[in-house]
């Protein structure tokens, strides 16, 4: 297939590490060296690549990495970049609409320009403390939900209006989501919305165990299994793994955490739970070319792809997660009519705020809830602090990357 290809398109290229491109380059040269003349000395073996993406968005994730390390891992610092021809796209397709009044068209243009300024770091900042960087930006009043006792429920109601009557409408679920920077915030919103959903709840618990080390295999030891009881393993949550306790109801939107089977359409995309069995979950696909099809999901044995834990574990669980809310990283590449943005913390990665704001097709479909925690009290209502890079907070969110 590689030998016969005339054009290869690689989407979301800016968020991929430069080393991935260089590995593909060497692989293509090796594959094509016997079939294409001079392919050994040509970039990608002489094949034409189109690398699509937006450098204002999320850059490659470097675990615990500094700003310098993140930039160093980006595509422009690769030897491949010198051979690229850069084409600049200037039209915001999400905010393009036909046959609309001039006033609405100007509103869309102003909104697109505001998002662009945030993505490029050119938005004017404010400092509320002497000697501090001016990294607080003001969010327009029309997008804000005032912080209060019921503010989170107000955000849910504005993003999912009349939820209990419309949750079975596939189009209703397709065009809206609540975004948040971290998994804990996403889980909080998903649990609230699951409780609002009518019907009987079913709980699926995982089976967790330790993976023996090479030393234990050779010596037939299993002491570590006794040192780490199941209760401890159940309490651990790693990026890319489902939680130990999975709560579902009929009508719940879910997303897959892994590409299970590409040929059957069991890959990235949203599904709605139709039936819940003991060993299998039946769901209907609501996005992509397979929309409307029924698929069956079963438990899978998963291991965290990267962790700083001193041991490796395996978790047998359905590889799914509730999708009323999702992380900003996971939303990259999606287009939504209604977006609720929940910001209890500063975005910890370059481009996260830009990605979240640019998912929506109209400024009227955007609502933002900013929760300034006690350690952020130097800010004021309606202002949000930008932290483009935080070495202490930068963590790998590999399940938040769009699937290839």
């Amino acid at each position: 297939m590689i030998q016969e290809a005339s054009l290869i398109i690689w989407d979301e290229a800016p968020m991929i590490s430069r080393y991935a491109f260089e590995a593909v380059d060497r692989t293509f040269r090796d594959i094509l060296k016997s079939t294409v003349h001079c392919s050994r000395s040509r970039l990608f073996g002489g094949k034409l690549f189109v690398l699509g993406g937006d450098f204002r968005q999320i850059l490659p994730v470097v675990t615990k990495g500094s700003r310098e390390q993140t930039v160093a891992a980006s595509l422009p610092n690769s030897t491949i970049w010198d051979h690229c021809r850069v084409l600049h796209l200037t039209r915001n397709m999400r905010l393009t609409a036909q046959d609309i009044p001039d006033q609405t068209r100007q509103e869309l243009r102003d909104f697109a320009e505001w998002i662009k300024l945030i993505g490029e770091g050119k938005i004017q900042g404010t400092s509320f403390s002497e000697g501090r960087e001016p990294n607080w930006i003001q969010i327009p009043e029309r997008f804000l939900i005032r912080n209060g006792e019921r503010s989170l429920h107000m955000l849910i109601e504005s993003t999912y209006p009349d939820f209990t009557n419309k949750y079975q409408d596939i189009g209703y679920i397709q065009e809206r989501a609540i975004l948040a920077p971290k998994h804990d915030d996403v889980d909080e919103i998903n649990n609230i919305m699951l409780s609002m959903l009518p019907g009987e709840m079913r709980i699926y618990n995982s089976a967790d165990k330790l993976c023996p080390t090479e030393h234990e295999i050779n010596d037939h030891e299993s002491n570590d299994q006794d040192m780490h009881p199941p209760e401890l393993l159940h309490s651990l949550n790693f990026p890319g793994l489902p939680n130990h306790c999975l709560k579902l109801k009929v009508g719940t939107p879910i997303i897959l955490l892994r590409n299970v089977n590409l040929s059957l359409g069991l890959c990235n995309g949203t599904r709605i739970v139709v039936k819940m069995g003991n060993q299998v979950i039946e769901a209907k696909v609501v996005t992509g070319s397979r929309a409307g099809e029924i698929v069956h999901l079963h438990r899978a044995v998963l291991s965290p792809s990267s962790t700083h834990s001193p041991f490796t574990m395996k978790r047998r669980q359905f590889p799914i997660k509730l999708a009323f809310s999702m992380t900003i990283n996971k939303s990259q590449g999606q287009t939504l009519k209604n977006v609720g943005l929940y910001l209890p913390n500063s975005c910890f990665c370059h481009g996260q705020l830009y990605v979240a704001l640019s998912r929506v097709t109209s400024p009227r479909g955007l609502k933002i809830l900013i929760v300034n925690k006690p350690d952020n009290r130097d800010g004021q209502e309606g202002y949000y602090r930008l932290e483009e890079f935080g070495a202490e907070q930068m963590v790998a969110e590999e399940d938040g990357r769009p699937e290839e």
Side-chain angles (χ1 to χ4, degrees):
M1 187 179 296
I2 290 175
Q3 291 173 347
E4 295 177 359
S6 301
L7 173 68
I8 298 171
I9 301 175
W10 192 329
D11 197 15
E12 302 292 357
M15 70 184 305
I16 306 298
S17 171
R18 55 172 287 194
Y19 303 110
F21 294 101
E22 293 167 4
V24 171
D25 174 37
R26 293 192 298 269
T27 303
F28 270 58
R29 295 189 193 203
D30 192 38
I31 291 174
L32 299 170
K33 64 182 179 182
S34 60
T35 59
V36 181
H37 180 64
C38 297
S39 64
R40 192 71 176 175
S41 59
R42 301 173 67 187
L43 186 67
F44 294 118
K47 294 294 181 179
L48 177 63
F49 269 67
V50 172
L51 308 178
D54 187 348
F55 282 100
R56 302 183 189 95
Q57 296 188 105
I58 298 165
L59 298 179
V61 175
V62 178
T63 306
K64 302 295 182 181
S66 64
R67 179 187 181 115
E68 291 75 17
Q69 290 173 312
T70 302
V71 173
S74 301
L75 177 59
N77 283 292
S78 172
T79 54
I80 292 173
W81 188 251
D82 296 334
H83 302 273
C84 292
R85 179 186 174 190
V86 181
L87 303 177
H88 296 278
L89 304 180
T90 58
R91 190 176 182 183
N92 190 322
M93 300 304 295
R94 281 191 179 86
L95 299 177
T96 298
Q98 303 294 330
D99 300 327
I100 58 176
D102 292 341
Q103 182 178 356
T104 305
R105 192 181 304 276
Q106 185 59 43
E107 182 183 9
L108 291 177
R109 289 174 182 169
D110 294 341
F111 182 59
E113 183 63 23
W114 179 66
I115 293 176
K116 180 181 176 182
L117 291 175
I118 289 179
E120 295 178 347
K122 295 180 180 179
I123 197 79
Q124 185 175 359
T126 302
S127 176
F128 297 107
S129 301
E130 187 176 351
R132 297 285 187 91
E133 291 186 11
N135 55 356
W136 290 83
I137 63 170
Q138 186 174 16
I139 304 297
E141 180 76 22
R142 56 182 175 150
F143 300 137
L144 289 174
I145 290 181
R146 291 297 175 184
N147 191 20
E149 292 183 2
R150 294 195 68 257
S151 55
L152 185 53
H153 286 83
M154 292 173 62
L155 178 68
I156 293 173
E157 291 168 4
S158 64
T159 309
Y160 290 91
D162 199 17
F163 172 69
T164 54
N165 294 324
K166 296 183 177 180
Y167 72 94
Q168 293 180 322
D169 184 352
I170 292 179
Y172 176 84
I173 295 296
Q174 277 181 329
E175 60 188 17
R176 61 196 73 234
I178 298 176
L179 310 180
K182 297 184 179 181
H183 287 283
D184 291 343
D185 308 324
V186 168
D187 291 341
E188 178 185 1
I189 296 172
N190 281 330
N191 289 333
I192 293 174
M193 297 206 63
L194 184 65
S195 66
M196 297 168 56
L197 194 69
E200 182 181 353
M201 182 185 297
R202 186 155 187 175
I203 299 176
Y204 296 91
N205 292 325
S206 69
D208 303 331
K209 69 175 183 178
L210 287 179
C211 299
T213 63
E214 184 177 351
H215 172 71
E216 292 171 343
I217 294 175
N218 295 335
D219 294 349
H220 303 286
E221 296 178 356
S222 59
N223 294 335
D224 274 359
Q225 190 68 46
D226 298 329
M227 294 173 58
H228 300 90
E231 293 78 12
L232 172 62
L233 301 181
H234 295 339
S235 67
L236 300 176
N237 292 319
F238 294 108
L241 285 189
N243 294 339
H244 162 66
C245 182
L246 178 63
K247 299 178 181 180
L248 293 176
K249 291 182 181 179
V250 172
T252 305
I254 56 175
I255 51 176
L256 284 174
L257 297 178
R258 301 286 176 90
N259 284 339
V260 179
N261 190 319
L262 293 175
S263 61
L264 298 178
L266 298 179
C267 52
N268 197 33
T270 305
R271 292 151 183 82
I272 292 180
V273 175
V274 177
K275 293 182 181 178
M276 298 179 291
N278 293 330
Q279 307 297 332
V280 176
I281 294 174
E282 186 176 295
K284 179 184 289 187
V285 182
V286 299
T287 58
S289 59
R290 293 179 175 268
E293 292 187 10
I294 298 295
V295 295
H296 295 89
L297 307 173
H298 57 82
R299 289 182 174 88
V301 178
L302 305 171
S303 294
S305 52
S306 63
T307 175
H308 298 285
S309 173
F311 56 83
T312 303
M313 63 172 284
K314 289 184 177 180
R315 172 165 289 174
R316 187 171 183 269
Q317 178 63 289
F318 292 99
I320 60 177
K321 192 177 182 72
L322 273 63
F324 294 112
S325 176
M326 67 183 73
T327 60
I328 295 174
N329 288 35
K330 188 67 176 177
S331 71
Q332 184 160 317
Q334 298 199 28
T335 300
L336 301 166
K337 184 178 179 180
N338 292 82
V339 171
L341 184 53
Y342 180 44
L343 299 173
N345 303 285
S346 297
C347 290
F348 60 84
C349 176
H350 170 81
Q352 276 196 320
L353 182 61
Y354 171 78
V355 169
L357 296 175
S358 58
R359 297 309 92 200
V360 71
T361 58
S362 168
R364 300 178 183 180
L366 176 65
K367 288 297 180 182
I368 304 173
L369 173 59
I370 302 173
V371 182
N372 288 330
K373 296 292 181 65
D375 57 341
N376 288 349
R377 289 301 182 188
D378 54 338
Q380 295 184 6
E381 188 76 21
Y383 283 81
Y384 182 66
R385 186 173 67 184
L386 285 179
E387 291 184 356
E388 289 192 349
F389 291 88
E392 298 79 17
Q393 296 177 317
M394 187 80 75
V395 294
E397 289 213 17
E398 292 162 347
D399 63 324
R401 298 187 182 196
E403 304 292 347
E404 297 301 325

